[in-house]
Amino acid sequence: MLIRRERTSDLAAIDAVHRSAFADHYANAGSGHRFDHATTRPEPPEVDLVRRLRDHSGWMPTLSMVAELHDDIVGHVCLTRAAVGPFPVLALGPIGVRADAQAGGVGSALMHAVLGAADALDEPLVGLVGHLDYYPRFGFAPGPRLGIVPDQSDWTSHFQIRPLTAFDTEIKGEFRYADPFYEL
């Protein structure tokens, strides 16, 4: 498996990754979701989110990575610019692994690569709203323990922070994602 930066030629494959990764989650969703007319299944919002993030000032091309297996893209992750008060930080997401490649270490490889890249760029931390059983294995902890809370109170129970080497304990306050996260 190769983990590398996203290329322009990867965009359709990245859409397909998120479509495959999240389709079952939204299969029984009611109205309010766009439909993929080829399959008549709801289009997962993660597909559109990645597209919107690419067009936003918070997009960081160096931190959008794909997992390639036998010349086939099977996973994608991106970090975008976020903020804790006046401090620039990063937000993770989405991360997706094609359904036929899940449970094979692709997601873990993507997480380690993107966190390592962010650390090498002297970023202080990464925040996310995510599964409480998955992300702690990568060093994520509840944000409130570090004095960082999401700007949407209903996210608090699943809001997590991963401090990186450049983390400073003065970074406290309200975490704000890039605008496209609020347009879902």
Side-chain angles (χ1 to χ4, degrees), residues 12-142:
I14 290 169
D15 284 354
V17 162
H18 291 295
R19 194 171 289 118
S20 173
F22 294 103
D24 286 345
H25 181 74
Y26 299 103
N28 298 321
S31 62
H33 285 62
R34 288 183 213 173
F35 279 81
D36 174 354
H37 297 290
T39 64
T40 66
R41 294 180 78 172
E43 176 83 326
E46 289 81 1
V47 175
D48 190 49
L49 175 59
V50 173
R51 291 178 192 158
R52 288 176 186 237
L53 287 168
R54 274 192 201 99
D55 293 334
H56 188 269
S57 62
W59 183 250
M60 301 185 73
T62 57
L63 297 174
S64 181
M65 300 182 159
V66 297
E68 194 177 292
L69 191 58
H70 307 294
D71 297 322
D72 196 19
I73 293 175
V74 297
H76 174 257
V77 66
C78 62
L79 297 176
T80 53
R81 181 60 63 208
V84 173
F87 301 100
V89 299
L90 296 172
L92 186 135
I95 180 171
V97 176
R98 222 171 52 195
D100 64 339
Q102 290 178 1
V106 175
S108 292
L110 283 166
M111 285 295 298
H112 288 297
V114 80
L115 290 173
D119 200 39
L121 293 172
D122 290 327
E123 294 290 343
L125 65 87
V126 176
L128 62 83
V129 175
H131 201 281
L132 299 173
D133 293 330
Y134 183 74
Y135 293 100
R137 72 184 76 174
F138 304 105
F140 284 87

Side-chain angles (χ1 to χ4, degrees), residues 134-152:
Y134 183 74
Y135 293 100
R137 72 184 76 174
F138 304 105
F140 284 87
R145 285 189 194 162
L146 297 170
I148 302 170
V149 296
D151 63 353
Q152 304 290 312

